[in-house]
Each structure stands twice: as C-alpha cells, then as structure tokens.
Amino acid sequence: MTAIDARAIKFAPNGRVLTATANTVFPTIPKTVAEAFDNTKPISGWTDLGYVTEDGCTLTPTLATSAFPVWQSAAAAKITITEAGLNFQFALAQWDKDSTELFFGGKWGAKDTTTGLTKMTLPSNPALSEKAFLILWGDLDDVNGLYVPRAMISDRDGLTIGKTDPSILNMTFQSLDAGGKLADVVTTADINGSGSGGGGA
C-alpha cells in the first residue's frame, strides 16, 4: 500500500532534451543532479537541443483497443490491443542548425561566399528521418530520463515570427517500435522503496 509521502510529489525545475542517430545506445547518465543538468558537459554521442520553453516536455502514452462482443452478454468478453504508442512534445527556444533542421526536416548547405547566404531547401516530397531522443528532467534530489531509440516527427505547430515574442519551434514526435519496446524510463530515485526518499518520477 502506498504511504503518504510528500517527497514523492515531483516537480521538474531541471531538464534537457538531447537527440542522436536512430538506435544510438542508451548513454551513461550522470547520477547527480549537478552533473546531469550541467549543459557545459556534453553526453557523448548526443546533441543537446539547448533551451526548451518553461512548459518542458509532455509525454503521452497512447492505447487503442477493440472490444469483442458475444451473444450471451451485453458486456464485451474480451478486449484486445490494436495499437500502442508514445508521443512526446516540446518547444525549442533556440534558432540554430540542430533545432531548425529538426523542425523543418531539411539540411543547411554550405555558405555561399558570393551572396553570403546559407540555404536550407524544404522539399515538396519530404523524407522524414528517424532520430533517437533522450529527455532528462529532475528536481533537487533525483534525475529522471526517457530514452527513445526510434522516433519520427508527427506534428509541428505554426512558427510565429514577430516583433516581441521569440520564434518557438514546437514539435511532437511519435515513438516507433525498437525490438519490442517504445522507450525506457529511468530514475535515480528509490522507486521500489528499499530506502529513504522513495519518490518516483
């Protein structure tokens, strides 16, 4: 039975969103909050996407089912899972090479020395690329993470370019099957309650 424990109420004042080539193996994550959220210390093989808006990241597990009715009952006799998924959404506040390529789905070319311009072409028939993602969040005590081996962008919000508000790159990604799993959730918290401070992510 779960006991009342205020330490298990979790906020996430710290967070990072990182990406890598699809199926990049789960990295070694620093176990202390001070190290895990020190953006000056890169995680080998992963690209930090920089500033994320204060709303952080939204994780949405999805499930679609189908009920099997029978003659003998008004209630279903069986429910089967027809689709399972995991969507995650975040908004990047930095306008740089990594964030814009992720948002637009194109690649920046080399700078033209004559015109002084660097160009990204947005194809009319885009080929969406798979990426791996690592989302870290935590409070003063614990480090939590979501590792997604394979994901593709599934939605993009409109990009507002204005005088007073920053240009925010808001994206939603959908996890893909990776050998029978969608993602791994990890935590340094004593989630099984074997010691003190048991709170989960």
Side-chain angles (χ1 to χ4, degrees):
M1 178 179 178
T2 301
I4 293 177
D5 186 355
R7 294 169 299 179
I9 300 174
K10 293 296 180 179
F11 297 87
N14 302 299
R16 297 173 74 179
V17 177
L18 304 99
T19 187
T21 304
N23 292 309
T24 296
V25 298
F26 185 79
T28 299
I29 296 177
K31 294 182 180 180
T32 67
V33 171
E35 291 180 309
F37 302 109
D38 184 349
N39 290 52
T40 65
K41 296 181 179 179
I43 295 178
S44 180
W46 293 78
T47 299
D48 196 316
L49 293 176
Y51 278 120
V52 178
T53 59
E54 64 180 353
D55 292 331
C57 182
T58 300
L59 312 178
T60 308
T62 62
L63 191 67
T65 62
S66 177
F68 179 68
V70 292
W71 190 6
Q72 290 84 355
S73 175
K78 195 88 170 179
I79 293 179
T80 58
I81 297 174
T82 58
E83 184 178 346
L86 174 67
N87 297 330
F88 51 99
Q89 175 271 331
F90 52 81
L92 300 178
Q94 291 185 201
W95 180 278
D96 56 27
K97 182 179 187 295
D98 295 317
S99 63
T100 52
E101 287 187 348
L102 194 62
F103 181 81
F104 288 111
K107 294 290 183 183
W108 288 105
K111 186 174 183 177
D112 188 313
T113 56
T114 302
T115 64
L117 298 176
T118 305
K119 180 175 67 175
M120 175 196 294
T121 297
L122 307 185
S124 59
N125 187 23
L128 298 179
S129 61
E130 295 181 10
K131 304 285 285 185
F133 284 89
L134 177 64
I135 300 169
L136 300 177
W137 70 94
D139 52 19
L140 298 177
D141 302 312
D142 303 313
V143 179
N144 308 293
L146 177 78
Y147 164 65
V148 180
R150 296 176 61 224
M152 294 178 69
I153 194 167
S154 60
D155 195 19
R156 295 175 285 196
D157 284 4
L159 173 61
T160 300
I161 302 172
K163 180 178 180 180
T164 58
D165 294 325
S167 298
I168 301 300
L169 304 171
N170 196 334
M171 294 167 272
T172 300
F173 290 84
Q174 181 175 339
S175 300
L176 303 174
D177 177 70
K181 73 177 180 182
L182 292 170
D184 289 325
V185 179
V186 299
T187 183
T188 61
D190 184 21
I191 199 72
N192 291 315
S194 57
S196 62

